[in-house]
Amino acid sequence: MDLCRRPDGCDDALFTYASMAAAATERPRRLLHGFVSPELCKELEFVHRSCGTVGYRPSVFSTTLPHLAATNCAHLILPFLPLRDRLKDTVEDLFGCEFELFVEFTGLISWCKGACIGWHSDDNKPYLRQRDFAAVCYLNSHEKDFNGGLFHFKDGEPSSIAPTAGDVVVYTADERNIHSVDEVTDGERLTLTLWFTRDSAHDEDTKLINLLSQRLLVEHIEPKPFLPLPASSSMYWLAQEKPGFDVRCARVSILGYDFFPSEGKCGTDDSPCDPVELLDGRLYLGRGDEVLDKEFVNSLHALQVVQFCCWKAAELATEREVHRAGSIRPTVLKRSNNLELLVPCDYKLGEAILGGTSRHDPNPSFSWDDLVLGIARWEEYMSELHRKLLILIPYWLSNHTLSFVDATELP
């Protein structure tokens, strides 16, 4: 029986939260198959691979909702919200705590080569005692996108879980669900993880709404207010081995591209510039001995466009073929030495950690034509999310909750 739904033929009066709570006490965990759509899995993968930073342990990367707000990407919170609401309702139904829970944390977390964690419960530190329940949504699949990374419970059933895109495991965060994750041996294991609490003092919504409300105090005069702003460069630098790598550089490199600074940004022999700092300024994208004649405002802007093109590769290729006759060829320049941006990255380490050599085609899946078309489609996608965000913020402020609402239904 799936506790997320009333069984066919069961009287509503008999299908009570008390009965679900009793079942949850006996089985304080559930594995829900196909809970997340394939389309949303891919969209959240795009968000993470274009916005994520170095995480809380070696070979782990994360994208949290406050981080999106802090980097001018608050509009990318919107794809999370319908699933976030469904997960909260499902956990409350399964564990008999209707209207009692608050979301304590929402984040995309990827475990890459070498990442693992031993036996633990999710409330095993004094600063984690507020956590009552967890939901882990698998956004990609074991043996297809990564190897290793199996999830194990110490006692009870299911005892082991091989992650499959779209599946969700929910469980109590206490000692009844001590669990571990095997070492990831290859690829990138991606999840959306939420923790829920009964303590309103740890409500994530309150903190996020305060952050988002500041957007209404700023007069946006920029023609493209959705352009991202990078965080501190240290947040993108993985230094578990020297010299380490910048995750932004590694992710574009895996897809066959490199960053090149704008002219006049490379400094002089007497006053050389820091190439890592150049990632925060205007730059170009190159591939092999070619550089696209299109200036991006910073590395995060370029990375988002490249990852968007990767996500939408099939659609962009189809659209390009349909409109090929009237299209204008992009301007591509020959690479020159003075354009090269020599960030001290260990690209081989980046590919080894992120799984580039084994999980990606070394040839880019989209052409320069697709990339130029992708820039336009990326801007449309971001602009529409940003428009909806500005409509929703006042609603969230008045209702004190970050819930999904159809913006067209608001006054």
Side-chain angles (χ1 to χ4, degrees):
M1 181 179 72
D2 188 345
L3 293 180
C4 290
R5 301 177 179 85
R6 180 178 59 83
D8 293 336
C10 179
D11 186 87
D12 287 325
L14 298 177
F15 192 64
T16 64
Y17 288 108
S19 64
M20 288 189 291
T25 301
E26 298 172 6
R27 296 182 59 196
R29 69 185 69 130
R30 288 302 305 273
L31 177 61
L32 310 174
H33 296 292
F35 194 92
V36 187
S37 70
E39 295 77 16
L40 184 56
C41 287
K42 288 297 183 182
E43 185 171 18
L44 294 179
E45 179 182 73
F46 154 70
V47 173
H48 180 63
R49 290 186 173 176
S50 61
C51 300
T53 61
V54 173
Y56 56 94
R57 60 177 55 245
S59 297
V60 171
F61 300 88
S62 65
T63 306
T64 65
L65 302 194
H67 173 75
L68 291 175
T71 53
N72 205 43
C73 296
H75 45 279
L76 289 175
I77 291 174
L78 297 188
F80 291 79
L81 298 185
L83 176 57
R84 194 171 177 264
D85 289 348
R86 286 180 60 218
L87 286 166
K88 179 174 174 292
D89 290 345
T90 297
V91 170
E92 288 180 334
D93 287 350
L94 285 174
F95 296 102
C97 46
E98 184 183 17
F99 306 127
E100 292 183 15
L101 299 184
F102 304 89
V103 179
E104 188 251 359
F105 173 89
T106 308
L108 296 166
I109 302 174
S110 64
W111 295 55
C112 299
K113 185 175 181 179
C116 63
I117 189 169
W119 296 114
H120 69 287
S121 65
D122 286 348
D123 67 349
N124 66 345
K125 304 289 184 183
Y127 57 85
L128 301 178
R129 296 300 186 201
Q130 72 278 0
R131 291 180 175 174
D132 292 303
F133 303 98
V136 179
C137 309
Y138 297 111
L139 303 182
N140 59 5
S141 299
H142 177 252
E143 293 189 339
K144 177 183 177 183
D145 303 296
F146 62 91
N147 291 320
L150 296 180
F151 186 104
H152 302 285
F153 286 109
K154 196 169 186 178
D155 301 296
E157 295 294 334
S159 59
S160 296
I161 297 172
T164 299
D167 289 357
V168 176
V169 59
V170 296
Y171 54 91
T172 60
D174 56 21
E175 68 279 354
R176 288 178 294 172
N177 281 301
I178 293 175
H179 57 279
S180 66
V181 177
D182 290 346
E183 180 178 339
V184 175
T185 58
D186 181 47
E188 184 171 19
R189 175 188 187 271
L190 180 58
T191 65
L192 171 65
T193 299
L194 289 86
W195 282 288
F196 301 93
T197 180
R198 291 186 174 91
D199 186 348
S200 62
H202 294 276
D203 183 6
E204 182 181 51
D205 285 13
T206 302
K207 303 167 189 175
L208 283 170
I209 290 171
N210 288 337
L211 279 173
L212 295 173
S213 66
Q214 298 171 19
R215 298 180 67 89
L216 295 181
L217 303 176
V218 178
E219 183 69 25
H220 288 289
I221 59 175
E222 301 89 349
K224 299 176 182 178
F226 49 80
L227 291 172
L229 298 173
S232 167
S233 58
S234 63
M235 296 186 69
Y236 302 103
W237 190 263
L238 183 70
Q240 70 181 60
E241 295 182 30
K242 294 183 179 180
F245 64 89
D246 182 283
V247 66
R248 297 165 294 183
C249 294
R251 287 206 185 275
V252 297
S253 176
I254 284 171
L255 294 176
Y257 295 88
D258 297 295
F259 293 130
F260 295 84
S262 295
E263 293 184 20
K265 298 290 187 179
C266 293
T268 65
D269 292 339
D270 295 330
S271 180
C273 58
D274 183 348
V276 176
E277 291 182 2
L278 292 177
L279 295 174
D280 294 339
R282 296 184 176 276
L283 44 70
Y284 294 90
L285 278 172
R287 185 181 68 207
D289 63 350
E290 297 179 332
V291 178
L292 180 67
D293 189 18
K294 159 66 181 177
E295 193 174 54
F296 297 88
V297 297
N298 53 55
S299 59
L300 208 56
H301 177 203
L303 173 60
Q304 286 191 8
V305 168
V306 170
Q307 293 292 342
F308 182 86
C309 291
C310 186
W311 172 31
K312 298 291 188 177
E315 295 174 33
L316 293 173
T318 299
E319 184 177 354
R320 172 172 50 82
E321 287 299 322
V322 170
H323 300 289
R324 178 180 290 278
S327 64
I328 300 175
R329 296 285 299 174
T331 302
V332 178
L333 307 174
K334 286 298 181 181
R335 173 177 176 172
S336 58
N337 290 333
N338 63 329
L339 277 176
E340 191 171 1
L341 179 52
L342 297 175
V343 177
C345 285
D346 185 338
Y347 289 102
K348 289 185 178 180
L349 176 63
E351 289 185 348
I353 295 293
L354 296 170
T357 55
S358 60
R359 297 297 173 183
H360 296 276
D361 187 337
N363 298 311
S365 56
F366 41 90
S367 66
W368 285 126
D369 302 80
D370 294 338
L371 185 62
V372 170
L373 181 59
I375 293 171
R377 297 297 171 263
W378 173 86
E379 290 186 356
E380 292 172 0
Y381 171 81
M382 294 296 183
S383 179
E384 178 62 12
L385 287 178
H386 183 265
R387 183 190 68 80
K388 291 179 179 178
L389 176 69
L390 294 183
I391 294 173
L392 289 169
I393 290 176
Y395 174 84
W396 292 335
L397 283 169
S398 63
N399 287 274
H400 309 292
T401 183
L402 203 70
S403 59
F404 172 73
V405 180
D406 187 341
T408 62
E409 298 179 358
L410 295 179

